[in-house]
Amino acid sequence: SSNGASLEVSYLHLMRVYPLMALWVDEAPRDMFDVLNEAATRHALLLFPSYHTIRDEIHVRLSDVPLLDSLRDLRRSHLDGLVKVSGVITRRSGVF
């Protein structure tokens, strides 16, 4: 009824049911979110053919990501990977 455009998927559930897909999301999140968004949008259009008049795309969001990194611990090795962070940004600097 709220016409939302997000589909929340539990990462823990994904790990349990489709462990290889969870690994792919972890290793290549940008590519996998493109695929997941497209699949969710296609499925919504199968169920609700006029959904495109409400929203153009469904966006998959992950919840329950088990690992948590501090903002201070982010490094170049984290680039292009899935990270969950906590912290407050007070200033910024280059990536090391």
Side-chain angles (χ1 to χ4, degrees), residues 20-38 60:
L20 186 57
M21 188 180 291
L23 178 65
W24 291 342
V25 168
D26 188 44
E27 295 294 323
R30 183 175 297 160
D31 295 331
M32 285 304 297
F33 277 116
D34 288 344
V35 170
L36 292 170
N37 292 343
E38 183 179 338
V60 174

Side-chain angles (χ1 to χ4, degrees), residues 52-64:
H52 64 67
T53 62
I54 300 170
R55 300 282 186 195
D56 292 333
E57 186 178 24
I58 302 284
H59 299 281
V60 174
R61 309 282 186 234
L62 284 181
S63 63
D64 305 322

